[in-house]
Amino acid sequence: MNISFIPNFLLKPLLKITPLGLFYRMRKNITRSEKNTKKIITLGMTDFLVKRGEKRALFILKETAKRVPAYENFLKEKSYSQNDIKNAKSIKEAPISDKASYIRPNEEHPADLCMGGDMSPAKMIETSSGYSGKHTYWLRDLKEVLREERQIPVLLSIFYDVSDDEAFSINGFALSSWVTGIQAGNASRRKTATINIGLNPPEIAQTIADFYKRYSIQSPGGFKKALIMSYPPTIKTILDILDDMNFNEWDNMEETIFVSGGDGFPESYREYIKNKTGGTLFSAYGSADTGIQLGIEAPDLIQLRGYLDKKPELCRQFFGKDHPPMLFYYDPTHVYIEAVPAETGINELILTPLYERRQPLIRYNIHDEGGVFYNPKSELTDLLNLIQVELEYSLPIVYVYGRSDGSIAVFSAYVYPQQIQAAIFRNLAEEFCQHFHISSEYSENQKPQLVVDVCVSSKPSSEQIDSLHSDILNSNEDLGIILSEGLADPPKINFYSKDDWPWETARGPGQKERYLGAQKKQK
């Protein structure tokens, strides 16, 4: 169905009277078309799309309660009866689930987690990465895998202006059974010429050098654009290897686009990538549990975050912290997202995927700290007017700070890896070698002390070290206050080479980098 030619004044009332079931049947075709998708997400109907998503979530709840044995038992344990389900007016009445309370207790009988109690129709099995080191297996039907693979190229075209037959992609995400790599490669090949290398920085660097030299627009019939996809720390490693190769041919492509996922990063890192390569770093938001296509960065959100990065007072006003979160547009008819306070008082993101899945998840807590602006053009009016940024898309925004336990306490100050990472890139961008780790200990004076371990290629100068110390304190107002009052000792910064790095910060392909709480390497 082609809706791109329908005038807005006719399309809006038509969508409003379309029954929910018919709307979702139409949606399958709409989201495969760039013109149709762009029409919908620029129509100015954000509230309508969110409400459609909430109604769909209620429908998914009722279907899952009837047809998934593990979820039926889960509801009984939570004293949520069949009558509660039948009479529910909102998905928000259902109990919250997570990996610990719902997935782990049923791992001995995985079919019970599946629709109809049957896992045999699944056509793809993926594993989650996470921080635990223990695999969780996710069973996917072919149609749910293909749905994401078909939609991602449409988003690449709309948000990153990538047209057919003009770009090549290097897939540097972990391959094998890890969720991101396989799906990213399958999706990008629908839009670009794709080489699936996996998590191999030396090979990625060599491929970049070869393609920018012989396969770019500098050669007849060459590619105009390049998409380089990998995790944020890995991209830095790739660039370091290219430096060692004396690579300086970034200008051979009209545009270089870096696409990352798995970890957040500070704006100073994005600026470092821009200054180093001339390219733009974008991030995507997703999880193995709920799907890799949850949220996507866009140029207007990057502009907004860049402004907030220099205004900690505005960050505190709108987000409650001194530094900005990652900001993503998301499709509220694809996933229903809530922000619910945890026992700690931190808002955690609760997700309900709205497409048919072999393993449905209802109000599933992935323990990411963040929030939602369901209608950002309305909710952020004052901020947008202040910085003169106009949001291009009529979509809600999910903002993410990372795992809800992703901070350490130094007396009463909470220090976040993002703050430290930003300070490192502002002061040690060239020397930094991917890894850093933060912890809290008691000093010889028996006072709390922040400890920052940094992996470097060469020891920084005394001026750089002093600047890094100052930057860390300036990036965390609470830490500066407790130091000025003598309640804690100044941060201790240790530098290590790659060979001497003492932490098990990343244990293998698909495992996320651990910036705090890692284990010491065994000698």
Coordinates of all heavy atoms in Angstrom, one line a residue, residues 181-226:
G181 N 25.9 -8.8 15.3 CA 26.7 -9.0 14.1 C 26.0 -9.6 12.9 O 26.0 -9.1 11.8
I182 N 25.3 -10.7 13.2 CA 24.6 -11.4 12.1 C 23.5 -10.5 11.5 O 23.4 -10.4 10.3 CB 24.0 -12.8 12.6 CG1 25.1 -13.7 13.1 CG2 23.2 -13.4 11.5 CD1 26.1 -14.1 12.0
Q183 N 22.7 -10.0 12.4 CA 21.5 -9.2 11.9 C 22.0 -7.9 11.2 O 21.4 -7.4 10.2 CB 20.6 -8.9 13.0 CG 19.8 -10.1 13.5 CD 18.5 -9.7 14.2 OE1 17.9 -8.6 14.0 NE2 18.0 -10.5 15.1
A184 N 23.1 -7.3 11.8 CA 23.6 -6.0 11.1 C 24.1 -6.3 9.7 O 23.8 -5.6 8.8 CB 24.7 -5.4 12.0
G185 N 24.8 -7.4 9.6 CA 25.3 -7.8 8.3 C 24.2 -8.1 7.3 O 24.2 -7.6 6.1
N186 N 23.2 -8.9 7.7 CA 22.1 -9.2 6.8 C 21.3 -8.0 6.4 O 20.7 -7.9 5.3 CB 21.2 -10.3 7.5 CG 21.9 -11.6 7.6 OD1 22.9 -11.9 6.9 ND2 21.3 -12.5 8.5
A187 N 21.1 -7.1 7.4 CA 20.3 -5.9 7.1 C 21.1 -4.9 6.2 O 20.5 -4.4 5.2 CB 20.0 -5.2 8.4
S188 N 22.4 -4.7 6.4 CA 23.1 -3.7 5.6 C 23.3 -4.2 4.2 O 23.4 -3.4 3.2 CB 24.5 -3.4 6.2 OG 25.3 -4.6 6.2
R189 N 23.3 -5.5 3.9 CA 23.5 -6.0 2.6 C 22.3 -5.7 1.7 O 22.4 -5.8 0.5 CB 23.8 -7.5 2.6 CG 22.6 -8.4 2.9 CD 22.9 -9.8 3.0 NE 21.7 -10.6 3.2 CZ 21.8 -12.0 3.5 NH1 22.9 -12.6 3.4 NH2 20.7 -12.6 3.7
R190 N 21.1 -5.4 2.3 CA 20.0 -5.0 1.5 C 20.1 -3.6 1.0 O 19.3 -3.2 0.1 CB 18.7 -5.1 2.4 CG 18.3 -6.5 2.8 CD 17.2 -6.6 3.8 NE 16.8 -7.9 4.1 CZ 15.9 -8.7 3.5 NH1 15.2 -8.1 2.5 NH2 15.6 -9.9 3.9
K191 N 21.0 -2.8 1.5 CA 21.2 -1.4 1.1 C 22.6 -1.2 0.5 O 22.8 -0.3 -0.4 CB 20.9 -0.5 2.3 CG 21.1 1.0 2.0 CD 20.2 1.5 1.0 CE 18.7 1.5 1.4 NZ 17.9 2.2 0.4
T192 N 23.6 -1.9 1.0 CA 25.0 -1.6 0.6 C 25.7 -2.9 0.3 O 25.3 -4.0 0.7 CB 25.7 -0.9 1.8 OG1 25.9 -1.8 2.9 CG2 25.0 0.3 2.3
A193 N 26.9 -2.8 -0.4 CA 27.8 -3.9 -0.5 C 28.5 -4.1 0.8 O 29.1 -3.2 1.4 CB 28.8 -3.6 -1.6
T194 N 28.3 -5.3 1.4 CA 28.7 -5.6 2.8 C 29.8 -6.6 2.9 O 29.6 -7.7 2.3 CB 27.5 -6.0 3.6 OG1 26.5 -4.9 3.5 CG2 27.9 -6.2 5.1
I195 N 30.8 -6.4 3.7 CA 31.8 -7.4 4.0 C 31.7 -7.6 5.5 O 31.8 -6.7 6.3 CB 33.2 -6.9 3.6 CG1 34.2 -8.0 4.0 CG2 33.6 -5.5 4.1 CD1 35.6 -7.8 3.4
N196 N 31.5 -8.9 5.9 CA 31.3 -9.3 7.3 C 32.6 -9.8 7.8 O 33.0 -10.9 7.6 CB 30.2 -10.3 7.4 CG 28.8 -9.8 7.0 OD1 28.3 -8.9 7.6 ND2 28.2 -10.5 6.1
I197 N 33.3 -8.9 8.6 CA 34.6 -9.2 9.1 C 34.5 -9.7 10.6 O 35.2 -10.6 11.0 CB 35.6 -8.0 9.0 CG1 35.8 -7.7 7.6 CG2 36.9 -8.3 9.7 CD1 36.7 -6.5 7.3
G198 N 33.6 -9.1 11.3 CA 33.5 -9.5 12.7 C 34.4 -8.6 13.6 O 35.0 -7.6 13.1
L199 N 34.6 -9.1 14.8 CA 35.4 -8.3 15.8 C 36.9 -8.6 15.6 O 37.5 -9.2 16.4 CB 34.9 -8.7 17.2 CG 35.2 -7.7 18.3 CD1 34.7 -6.3 18.0 CD2 34.7 -8.2 19.6
N200 N 37.4 -8.0 14.5 CA 38.8 -8.2 14.1 C 39.4 -6.9 13.7 O 39.5 -6.6 12.5 CB 38.9 -9.3 13.0 CG 40.4 -9.7 12.7 OD1 41.3 -9.0 12.9 ND2 40.5 -10.9 12.3
P201 N 39.8 -6.1 14.6 CA 40.3 -4.7 14.3 C 41.4 -4.7 13.2 O 41.4 -3.8 12.3 CB 40.8 -4.1 15.6 CG 39.9 -4.8 16.6 CD 39.8 -6.2 16.1
P202 N 42.5 -5.5 13.3 CA 43.5 -5.5 12.3 C 43.0 -5.7 10.8 O 43.4 -5.0 9.9 CB 44.5 -6.6 12.7 CG 44.3 -6.7 14.1 CD 42.8 -6.5 14.4
E203 N 42.1 -6.7 10.7 CA 41.5 -7.0 9.4 C 40.6 -5.8 8.9 O 40.6 -5.5 7.7 CB 40.8 -8.3 9.4 CG 40.3 -8.7 8.0 CD 39.6 -10.0 8.0 OE1 39.7 -10.8 9.0 OE2 39.0 -10.4 6.9
I204 N 39.8 -5.3 9.9 CA 39.0 -4.1 9.5 C 39.9 -3.0 9.0 O 39.6 -2.3 8.0 CB 38.1 -3.7 10.7 CG1 37.1 -4.8 11.1 CG2 37.4 -2.4 10.4 CD1 36.4 -4.5 12.4
A205 N 40.9 -2.7 9.7 CA 41.8 -1.6 9.4 C 42.4 -1.8 8.0 O 42.5 -0.9 7.1 CB 42.9 -1.4 10.4
Q206 N 42.8 -3.0 7.7 CA 43.4 -3.3 6.4 C 42.4 -3.2 5.3 O 42.7 -2.7 4.2 CB 44.0 -4.8 6.4 CG 44.7 -5.1 5.1 CD 45.9 -4.2 4.8 OE1 46.8 -4.1 5.7 NE2 45.9 -3.5 3.7
T207 N 41.1 -3.6 5.6 CA 40.1 -3.5 4.6 C 39.8 -2.0 4.3 O 39.5 -1.6 3.1 CB 38.8 -4.2 5.1 OG1 39.1 -5.6 5.4 CG2 37.7 -4.2 4.1
I208 N 39.7 -1.2 5.3 CA 39.5 0.2 5.1 C 40.6 0.8 4.2 O 40.4 1.5 3.3 CB 39.5 1.0 6.5 CG1 38.2 0.6 7.3 CG2 39.6 2.5 6.3 CD1 38.2 1.2 8.7
A209 N 41.9 0.5 4.5 CA 43.0 1.0 3.7 C 42.9 0.5 2.3 O 43.1 1.3 1.3 CB 44.3 0.5 4.3
D210 N 42.5 -0.7 2.0 CA 42.4 -1.2 0.7 C 41.2 -0.6 -0.1 O 41.3 -0.2 -1.2 CB 42.1 -2.8 0.7 CG 43.4 -3.5 1.1 OD1 44.5 -3.0 1.1 OD2 43.2 -4.7 1.5
F211 N 40.0 -0.5 0.6 CA 38.9 0.1 -0.1 C 39.0 1.6 -0.3 O 38.5 2.0 -1.4 CB 37.6 -0.3 0.7 CG 37.0 -1.6 0.3 CD1 37.6 -2.8 0.5 CD2 35.8 -1.6 -0.4 CE1 37.0 -4.0 0.1 CE2 35.2 -2.8 -0.8 CZ 35.8 -4.0 -0.6
Y212 N 39.5 2.3 0.6 CA 39.6 3.7 0.4 C 40.7 4.0 -0.7 O 40.6 5.1 -1.3 CB 40.0 4.4 1.7 CG 38.9 4.8 2.6 CD1 38.1 3.8 3.2 CD2 38.4 6.1 2.7 CE1 37.0 4.1 4.0 CE2 37.4 6.4 3.5 CZ 36.6 5.4 4.2 OH 35.6 5.7 4.9
K213 N 41.6 3.1 -0.9 CA 42.6 3.3 -2.0 C 42.1 2.9 -3.4 O 42.3 3.6 -4.3 CB 43.9 2.6 -1.6 CG 45.0 2.8 -2.6 CD 46.3 2.1 -2.1 CE 47.4 2.3 -3.1 NZ 48.7 1.6 -2.6
R214 N 41.4 1.7 -3.4 CA 41.1 1.1 -4.8 C 39.7 1.0 -5.1 O 39.3 0.8 -6.2 CB 41.8 -0.3 -4.9 CG 43.3 -0.2 -4.8 CD 43.9 -1.6 -5.3 NE 43.6 -2.6 -4.3 CZ 44.3 -3.0 -3.3 NH1 45.4 -2.3 -3.0 NH2 44.0 -4.0 -2.5
Y215 N 38.8 1.2 -4.1 CA 37.4 0.9 -4.4 C 36.5 2.2 -4.2 O 35.3 2.1 -4.2 CB 36.8 -0.2 -3.4 CG 37.4 -1.5 -3.7 CD1 38.6 -1.9 -3.2 CD2 36.7 -2.5 -4.5 CE1 39.2 -3.2 -3.5 CE2 37.2 -3.7 -4.8 CZ 38.5 -4.1 -4.3 OH 39.0 -5.3 -4.5
S216 N 37.2 3.3 -4.0 CA 36.4 4.6 -3.7 C 36.1 5.3 -5.0 O 36.5 4.8 -6.1 CB 37.3 5.5 -2.8 OG 38.4 6.0 -3.5
I217 N 35.5 6.4 -4.9 CA 35.1 7.2 -6.1 C 36.3 7.7 -6.8 O 36.2 8.3 -7.9 CB 34.1 8.4 -5.8 CG1 34.8 9.3 -4.6 CG2 32.8 7.9 -5.4 CD1 34.0 10.5 -4.4
Q218 N 37.5 7.6 -6.2 CA 38.7 8.0 -6.9 C 39.0 7.0 -8.1 O 39.8 7.4 -8.9 CB 39.9 8.0 -5.9 CG 39.7 8.9 -4.7 CD 39.4 10.3 -5.0 OE1 40.0 10.9 -5.9 NE2 38.4 10.9 -4.3
S219 N 38.4 5.9 -8.0 CA 38.5 4.9 -9.1 C 37.2 4.9 -9.9 O 36.1 5.1 -9.3 CB 38.8 3.5 -8.6 OG 40.0 3.5 -7.8
P220 N 37.2 4.7 -11.2 CA 36.0 4.6 -12.0 C 35.0 3.6 -11.4 O 35.3 2.4 -11.2 CB 36.5 4.2 -13.4 CG 37.9 4.6 -13.4 CD 38.4 4.4 -12.0
G221 N 33.7 4.1 -11.2 CA 32.7 3.2 -10.7 C 32.8 2.8 -9.3 O 32.2 1.8 -8.8
G222 N 33.6 3.5 -8.5 CA 33.9 3.2 -7.1 C 32.7 3.7 -6.2 O 31.8 4.3 -6.6
F223 N 32.8 3.3 -4.9 CA 31.8 3.6 -3.9 C 32.0 5.1 -3.5 O 33.1 5.6 -3.3 CB 31.9 2.7 -2.7 CG 31.6 1.3 -3.0 CD1 32.6 0.4 -3.1 CD2 30.3 0.9 -3.3 CE1 32.4 -1.0 -3.4 CE2 30.0 -0.5 -3.5 CZ 31.1 -1.4 -3.6
K224 N 30.8 5.7 -3.2 CA 30.9 7.1 -2.7 C 30.9 7.2 -1.2 O 31.5 8.2 -0.6 CB 29.6 7.9 -3.2 CG 29.5 8.0 -4.7 CD 28.2 8.7 -5.0 CE 28.0 8.9 -6.5 NZ 26.7 9.5 -6.9
K225 N 30.3 6.2 -0.5 CA 30.2 6.3 0.9 C 30.6 5.0 1.6 O 30.6 4.0 0.9 CB 28.7 6.6 1.3 CG 28.2 8.0 0.9 CD 26.8 8.2 1.3 CE 26.3 9.6 0.8 NZ 24.9 9.8 1.3
A226 N 31.0 5.1 2.8 CA 31.4 3.9 3.6 C 30.7 3.9 4.9 O 30.6 5.0 5.6 CB 32.9 3.9 3.8

